[in-house]
Amino acid sequence: MSGKKITLDAKGKYYKQFNELIRQKAQEGYTDFVLENVNGHRYIATALCGDLKITIKGVAGQDTGAFMGGPHLRISGNAQDGIGNTMDSGKIAINGMAGDVLGYAMRGGSIFVRSDVGYRCGIHMKAYKDYVPEIVVGGKAGDFLGEYMAGGIILLLGMFSDKPDAPVAGRSLGTGMHGGVIYVRGSVPESQLGPNLHTQPVDEDDLQTIRRLVDAFALEFELDAETVMNENFVKIRPFSHRPYGNLYVAT
Amino acid sequence: MKAPERYYDFQKDISGCGVFGVISREKKLISGDMPINAMACMHDRGNGLGGGFAAYGIYPEHADKYAFHIMCDDRRGVEGSEHLLRQYFDIHEFEPIPTRETLAIHNPPLVNRYFVTVREDKPEDLSKLPEDDYVVAVVMKLNTQVPGAFVFSSGKDMGVFKGVGYPEDIAEFFRLDEYKGYIWTGHNRFPTNTPGWWGGAHPFTILNWSIVHNGEISSYGINRRYLCEHDYLCTLMTDTEVVAYELDLLIRKHGLSWNLAAKVFAPPFWEEIKTMPEQQRELHTALRYTYGSGMLNGPFAILVADNNRLMGLNDRIKLRPLLVAEKDDMVFMSSEEASVREVCPELDRVWMPKAGEPVIIDVKE
């Protein structure tokens, strides 16, 4: 289907009416949206399905792209908290920074953030069969990245950050993770990792995955993939399949 | 105005207060429209059960006097509070706080303001107290002894305006668009554990301190008992009240720096303290030992101000959002970037501070 384009202005519109308008236009067959003057409007593209392209100009509000299945969102500015909450499939590219709990309980699709992310990003991510969610962060992350992660991939580059003095990831990285993998460009101090976690060197398979993600990330933000790849990577994996399996079992 | 009967039976709802602050480092006066519009942008973070603002630099013609804002249920409360004020202060000027009738604000209390100085002949019971302690003691006395009356602001060249309603409606009621100040904070309340009543809205204040808070302070009980030992009596039935009094105790009375007070509120974890250089380790160990009862446990993003400063602080595991932005001489702190962009679309820098690390911005002297 050839893209049917429409530009919608969020200025002065309440988020409910604005989201209703977007859904109505999607039902009318529009597939290519430009949303102007978005400023903290919540729930844009939440649970929206289909082959849609949506450009959000401004600050994306809470839970943008939550439960989303399919659309490609491009956010020109920064994004607030809870972006891609329990997202199912599709893509979100944020050409700035993002707040806390990005990709919370994400089940599939990909999120690219050019710069820094807040706390608890990728918390409770999970994978099932072909659904493998992916998050690539170009900058640095706050504490609890990938907390309770059950599946999927997080790639943390630490390159395009506004926080020169901060470590690449905050404290308690991967705390409680029992599935999935976190890749970090360069290295990460072990003291930043959650209990019993260690960094490991990456192997050929890992590098292939990283290369694929870096290419997609670089393409999204017009960056040089080679510069990104020109450094070592480490990975963090759960220390066992069921690290807390015996927590409530009398032994 | 009093908390409704059986308020503890009210159904709880999910939390999401909103805070906003702005400071002009050059002390340029900012119209009330800016914080009002910023708070209105975060309308949905509250539920209409509390809104309020603190403004600094609004009473320059009375800058040498304490500006008491008092809310009363009825005339009896007004008479009682004025009687008490006259015992302890010289009242230089007083008037009803100018208000507008607005449909959104129901049954407001009587709100009056008094510009006062301490009497030469202090009454016997408080005569030994230094001036600031004397003022604090009168506030405690009024809040606990005059039925149906509460002091909601008691600083110099600053004032707090708050009540039950969305912040933009409270601003309309108090005509805040007519005020200009060089520091503003605002709050949109979504009460979770305590009643939404006029005295329980934010900001909370004592002397020049003001605080707005998103979150909940689970340590309220221990904080309150600790403050009680130091003659601060909590009467407003909202957890945040303890922070206002702790600021006064820790910074004004005990002489801690703002930075160290922030470390009392949100101390580093013991395992972080263990890895610090010796002097730091001793300092933070001593702080935790001395002020364990002052620690704020629970999720919070707070904005604290006095006449020269604005500070933003998160709990140490960052369970609430807080963003800082700069534009020329102005620094903004807010729950949401959107609220800042609403009033200042182009920003020089935007960032989210590290959990437990205060962001402290001073006005230039």
Side-chain angles (χ1 to χ4, degrees):
Chain A
M1 185 164 76
S2 67
K4 211 173 145 192
K5 289 183 185 177
I6 191 166
T7 298
L8 302 173
D9 191 349
K11 186 90 185 165
K13 288 200 181 72
Y14 192 51
Y15 76 86
K16 279 185 185 165
Q17 278 75 44
F18 192 57
N19 280 314
E20 278 165 14
L21 183 65
I22 296 167
R23 303 183 85 84
Q24 185 197 325
K25 293 297 169 193
Q27 275 187 350
E28 288 171 15
Y30 289 94
T31 56
D32 201 339
F33 292 78
V34 177
L35 310 180
E36 306 262 19
N37 294 312
V38 172
N39 193 34
H41 293 71
R42 297 177 177 193
Y43 309 120
I44 287 178
T46 285
L48 203 57
C49 295
D51 189 10
L52 308 171
K53 270 173 67 182
I54 302 175
T55 301
I56 295 176
K57 295 196 167 173
V59 178
Q62 257 68 336
D63 281 323
T64 294
F67 307 107
M68 188 175 80
H72 286 196
L73 304 188
R74 193 175 168 80
I75 296 163
S76 69
N78 296 330
Q80 296 186 165
D81 304 320
I83 308 301
N85 177 357
T86 324
M87 163 178 171
D88 211 39
S89 62
K91 184 170 78 176
I92 302 177
I94 301 165
N95 193 19
M97 62 175 196
D100 299 335
V101 287
L102 174 103
Y104 173 25
M106 191 180 169
R107 288 143 188 274
S110 38
I111 300 181
F112 299 113
V113 185
R114 191 178 54 78
S115 182
D116 298 319
V117 295
Y119 285 55
R120 298 183 178 78
C121 291
I123 180 173
H124 279 299
M125 269 170 86
K126 55 205 69 175
Y128 180 68
K129 293 188 176 171
D130 295 340
Y131 279 70
V132 181
E134 302 165 339
I135 297 178
V136 183
V137 177
K140 295 176 175 177
D143 300 1
F144 305 107
L145 178 72
E147 191 181 27
Y148 309 124
M149 190 174 173
I153 305 164
I154 296 176
L155 171 60
L156 180 63
L157 301 177
M159 296 177 74
F160 312 102
S161 173
D162 187 40
K163 300 173 176 173
D165 302 327
V168 62
R171 291 163 45 81
S172 305
L173 172 72
T175 295
M177 78 186 285
H178 50 104
V181 60
I182 301 173
Y183 297 116
V184 181
R185 183 179 185 271
S187 61
V188 55
E190 295 248 321
S191 57
Q192 302 299 108
L193 304 183
N196 301 317
L197 292 175
H198 303 282
T199 55
Q200 303 161 23
V202 291
D203 61 22
E204 269 311 304
D205 287 350
D206 293 322
L207 275 175
Q208 269 185 20
T209 305
I210 292 168
R211 178 82 223 196
R212 178 177 62 76
L213 290 173
V214 165
D215 283 344
F217 181 81
L219 189 68
E220 202 62 60
F221 301 118
E222 293 172 5
L223 299 163
D224 178 27
E226 297 313 318
T227 319
V228 179
M229 291 305 294
N230 189 19
E231 173 66 273
N232 285 330
F233 288 83
V234 293
K235 70 177 168 185
I236 296 112
R237 278 194 170 282
F239 59 90
S240 85
H241 175 57
R242 295 189 65 220
Y244 304 101
N246 291 324
L247 192 60
Y248 300 107
V249 181
T251 50
Chain B
M1 184 177 107
K2 287 293 185 202
E5 287 291 307
R6 297 181 65 84
Y7 68 82
Y8 41 81
D9 281 347
F10 286 11
Q11 206 174 356
K12 287 184 187 179
D13 215 333
I14 49 165
S15 156
C17 298
V19 296
F20 172 86
V22 57
I23 178 170
S24 160
R25 285 185 282 213
E26 305 282 355
K27 277 191 151 180
K28 288 180 191 160
L29 293 179
I30 297 164
S31 160
D33 291 327
M34 179 185 270
I36 295 166
N37 292 334
M39 288 312 303
C41 176
M42 297 191 286
H43 175 91
D44 287 324
R45 295 188 74 91
N47 64 357
L49 287 178
F53 298 83
Y56 290 83
I58 56 170
Y59 297 137
E61 68 281 16
H62 296 295
D64 55 337
K65 305 179 191 77
Y66 296 93
F68 269 61
H69 291 187
I70 300 181
M71 53 173 78
C72 300
D73 284 342
D74 47 28
R75 289 306 311 171
R76 206 167 61 100
V78 176
E79 282 157 21
S81 50
E82 288 185 356
H83 178 73
L84 191 130
L85 280 184
R86 281 183 205 288
Q87 281 178 283
Y88 293 93
F89 294 119
D90 291 321
I91 300 178
H92 299 271
E93 225 179 289
F94 64 96
E95 60 179 352
I97 297 177
T99 54
R100 268 187 211 116
E101 280 193 36
T102 65
L103 285 174
I105 301 299
H106 310 285
N107 302 323
L110 301 166
V111 287
N112 294 296
R113 66 185 167 202
Y114 306 83
F115 296 97
V116 306
T117 51
V118 172
R119 284 176 71 122
E120 289 286 333
D121 52 333
K122 296 178 188 170
E124 189 67 29
D125 60 336
L126 304 182
S127 64
K128 299 230 166 32
L129 293 177
E131 181 163 318
D132 282 342
D133 290 349
Y134 180 92
V135 176
V136 171
V138 177
V139 172
M140 298 298 144
K141 218 177 235 301
L142 202 151
N143 285 353
T144 51
Q145 294 178 8
V146 181
F150 287 97
V151 180
F152 62 108
S153 197
S154 55
K156 289 178 174 174
D157 198 15
M158 61 82 72
V160 158
F161 306 87
K162 67 180 190 179
V164 173
Y166 284 102
E168 59 271 27
D169 298 329
I170 290 295
E172 173 81 8
F173 174 74
F174 280 113
R175 300 163 62 160
L176 294 189
D177 48 308
E178 297 170 7
Y179 291 78
K180 285 183 168 59
Y182 56 87
I183 304 173
W184 285 88
T185 60
H187 188 263
N188 192 3
R189 190 165 183 227
F190 197 134
T192 42
N193 299 319
T194 53
W197 69 292
W198 279 69
H202 303 219
F204 288 90
T205 62
I206 190 73
L207 296 172
N208 294 339
W209 305 108
S210 71
I211 162 152
V212 290
H213 166 217
N214 167 21
E216 57 183 59
I217 299 170
S218 323
S219 54
Y220 173 69
I222 192 166
N223 300 146
R224 176 191 170 129
R225 285 191 289 279
Y226 173 62
L227 286 164
C228 184
E229 292 167 13
H230 295 273
D231 299 328
Y232 294 93
L233 305 174
C234 293
T235 52
L236 301 175
M237 293 185 285
T238 299
D239 51 5
T240 311
E241 185 182 13
V242 297
V243 185
Y245 304 154
E246 282 199 24
L247 288 164
D248 193 49
L249 178 68
L250 299 178
I251 300 178
R252 182 179 67 79
K253 294 187 77 172
H254 292 184
L256 294 193
S257 67
W258 285 52
N259 191 50
L260 286 187
K263 293 297 171 189
V264 170
F265 295 159
F269 290 99
W270 285 114
E271 65 240 46
E272 288 176 299
I273 293 176
K274 257 189 248 168
T275 63
M276 289 176 177
E278 191 181 343
Q279 276 197 330
Q280 289 288 307
R281 191 169 68 233
E282 276 182 22
L283 171 66
H284 286 285
T285 304
L287 272 183
R288 290 202 65 167
Y289 284 167
T290 313
Y291 291 112
S293 306
M295 172 182 166
L296 305 179
N297 200 7
F300 63 84
I302 57 175
L303 302 182
V304 167
D306 78 353
N307 302 61
N308 300 307
R309 262 186 179 175
L310 177 64
M311 174 173 88
L313 177 70
N314 264 127
D315 65 87
R316 55 196 182 159
I317 53 170
K318 203 185 183 242
L319 291 162
R320 290 293 180 273
L322 184 64
L323 173 127
V324 182
E326 292 181 351
K327 175 65 181 172
D328 301 329
D329 74 310
M330 282 188 295
V331 179
F332 303 91
M333 301 183 187
S334 179
S335 304
E336 295 189 26
E337 180 174 339
S339 76
V340 180
R341 299 264 182 203
E342 181 74 21
V343 295
C344 187
E346 298 300 321
L347 298 168
D348 298 333
R349 193 183 163 213
V350 181
W351 80 100
M352 284 173 276
K354 185 170 153 46
E357 292 289 336
V359 177
I360 298 173
I361 308 293
D362 287 335
V363 295
K364 286 184 189 147
E365 279 311 317

